Amino acid sequence: MHYLDYAATAPVPASVADAVYRAMTGDPYNPSAQYDAAGNTRRALQENRTVLADALGCEARSVVFTSCATESNNWALRAAAYHGRHTGKHIITTAVEHSAVLEVLRAMEQEGYEITRLMPDASGAVSAQQVARALRPDTVLVSMMLVNNETGAVFPVADVARLLKARQSPALLHCDAVQGFMKVPCPMQAWGVDLASFSAHKLGGPKGIGALYVAPHLKTLRPLLWGGGQENGLRSGTEATAQIAGFAAAVSLWRENGAAYLANISALKAECLRRLLTIPGMARIGQGESPHILSMTLSGYPAGNIVTELGQQGVCISAGSACHKGKPSHVIAAMGLSRRDAAGAFRVSFGPESTLRDVEALYEALRAHQQNRFPML
Ligand code: PLP
């Protein structure tokens, strides 16, 4: 198997699975239980929260665990709009956010919010100047992702934070940082971002655990779930201690080995690009600067067929975002590619376990596809 779909999800390293297992089979206590025996469970939860907070450069109380980044995004957008309810109903985002942002905003649009969606240029970039032009006195929220999950473009979140401050805008800034966390710098607190979403499974952590960074000044953020008051009263429900242990173990691995991981990943991405461009009809899509995501097109060859055929040969890549399940990608559409280039768009993404052999297998399979099939457009 040649797995090159890390932006969809990452394999779980043994030490992460071990941390999950130990948390599940160790002390059976509820972290909120009052007897002394539960103290270790409570402390372990707090230590795991601190691992994430240290990686983010924020205080532990700013990290709220959720069930996934989709949940973090849903909550952040709704809570930010509620926060600004006396200011207005205008929201700025980009046209190329993940569906876990775009679909929430589409629902909010139907409820009366006005959404400005910034378009990327042909390279996939969105600028802080575009936000500056769209910003209004009644803007209550700007939501901009850190790294685009299809093109790997890195967005200027720090510049947008500075802009909002300079303009003394009441708008909150939310960042879907799922694809950027541990891959590019994201000191959310230092940048002045108000809310940021994270997911463990893109880093080799378990699926079904995420987090929302909540800036310290947002003391009255509207909770997601009301109940027993866990997570500082913001998201009630007994904490998913085992998944949280796995999340922290995955982040710890990245903190210890991140430089080596990124050196390997960046070198493989560069080599992959170099080799694929030797195949006739192959072109790069955008200029995504993230170390791990490469967007390419085999112009005119339907990407769905490429992905299926390569999958049968044990090479796993994705046609646009895996989350779109075969629908044409809104990201590729927003970049204004020709019909032929859009049809052939696929994503290759790398992780710590990726090797040159994976890149070679991809290259060979794509070259065979290009030679043995006819373009359909
Ligand atoms: N945001 C981005 C940019 C993503 O790439 C993904 C997953 O593909 C998500 C959000 C959703 O994350 P989760 O699977 O944790 O809900």
Side-chain angles (χ1 to χ4, degrees):
M1 175 66 75
H2 298 283
Y3 186 72
L4 289 167
D5 201 15
Y6 277 77
T9 198
V12 177
S15 63
V16 173
D18 198 46
V20 175
Y21 180 79
R22 278 187 280 115
M24 288 191 93
T25 54
D27 289 344
Y29 311 116
N30 187 317
S32 304
Q34 284 183 354
Y35 33 81
D36 282 357
N40 282 343
T41 309
R42 221 172 5 258
R43 270 188 294 279
L45 175 63
Q46 215 32 35
E47 280 163 20
N48 289 330
R49 194 187 307 282
T50 303
V51 169
L52 239 88
D54 288 350
L56 280 169
C58 69
E59 295 162 39
R61 68 191 166 96
S62 293
V63 174
V64 182
F65 288 110
T66 61
S67 72
C68 59
T70 299
E71 178 180 313
S72 303
N73 284 343
N74 271 259
W75 176 23
L77 300 173
R78 292 278 184 184
Y82 184 79
H83 181 89
R85 66 195 178 284
H86 302 304
T87 305
K89 289 196 143 194
H90 178 235
I91 295 173
I92 301 172
T93 190
T94 79
V96 293
E97 296 294 309
H98 189 271
S99 48
V101 166
L102 287 183
E103 292 303 319
V104 187
L105 294 180
R106 206 189 309 277
M108 290 172 71
E109 196 168 33
Q110 278 158 13
E111 294 160 18
Y113 286 89
E114 190 188 337
I115 317 290
T116 300
R117 298 174 180 86
L118 306 176
M119 297 302 280
D121 65 17
S123 77
V126 177
S127 70
Q129 288 73 25
Q130 286 174 272
V131 177
R133 283 193 291 274
L135 197 63
R136 309 190 321 209
D138 63 337
T139 307
V140 291
L141 167 65
V142 178
S143 183
M144 177 181 271
M145 68 199 323
L146 182 56
V147 170
N148 184 269
N149 50 298
E150 293 193 36
T151 61
V154 180
F155 287 170
V157 176
D159 293 345
V160 173
R162 262 196 301 277
L163 164 82
L164 295 184
K165 199 163 172 215
R167 296 264 288 256
Q168 297 183 333
S169 167
L172 294 186
L173 176 57
H174 166 253
C175 176
D176 176 342
V178 167
Q179 295 290 350
F181 186 38
M182 304 312 287
K183 319 267 169 62
V184 299
C186 55
M188 293 298 164
Q189 187 163 337
W191 282 354
V193 172
D194 300 297
L195 297 159
S197 305
F198 302 91
S199 182
H201 74 99
K202 310 289 181 180
L203 293 172
K207 295 167 185 58
I209 182 75
L212 184 70
Y213 161 77
V214 180
H217 71 92
L218 285 177
K219 291 199 177 65
T220 56
L221 190 75
R222 188 175 167 86
L224 174 68
L225 300 173
W226 287 262
Q230 290 91 342
E231 300 295 287
N232 258 334
L234 290 173
R235 187 191 182 274
S236 289
T238 302
E239 297 87 345
T241 46
Q243 284 94 326
I244 290 169
F247 196 170
V251 170
S252 296
L253 266 186
W254 270 90
R255 289 206 86 194
E256 283 156 31
N257 307 302
Y261 290 167
L262 291 175
N264 178 48
I265 291 169
S266 308
L268 287 176
K269 175 175 163 177
E271 178 59 15
C272 186
L273 177 62
R274 192 188 67 75
R275 286 202 191 193
L276 296 199
L277 285 177
T278 64
I279 298 172
M282 188 73 76
R284 184 172 185 185
I285 294 180
Q287 293 298 324
E289 312 86 346
S290 83
H292 63 306
I293 298 178
L294 178 60
S295 183
M296 302 290 296
T297 178
L298 188 55
S299 198
Y301 291 75
N305 295 355
I306 298 176
V307 170
T308 307
E309 192 170 298
L310 267 58
Q312 285 157 359
Q313 297 166 38
V315 179
C316 299
I317 57 167
S318 107
S321 160
C323 304
H324 290 100
K325 297 199 178 128
K327 276 190 273 164
S329 153
H330 65 285
V331 177
I332 303 299
M335 288 168 70
L337 299 185
S338 72
R339 218 158 67 88
R340 283 173 58 82
D341 283 355
F346 62 90
R347 175 186 74 187
V348 187
S349 48
F350 306 91
E353 296 83 6
S354 305
T355 64
L356 189 56
R357 184 65 207 113
D358 297 324
V359 171
E360 284 164 358
L362 172 69
Y363 165 75
E364 283 153 20
L366 280 169
R367 198 186 48 175
H369 187 89
Q370 190 274 333
Q371 282 171 353
N372 299 333
R373 308 264 172 246
F374 292 105
M376 286 175 69
L377 292 176

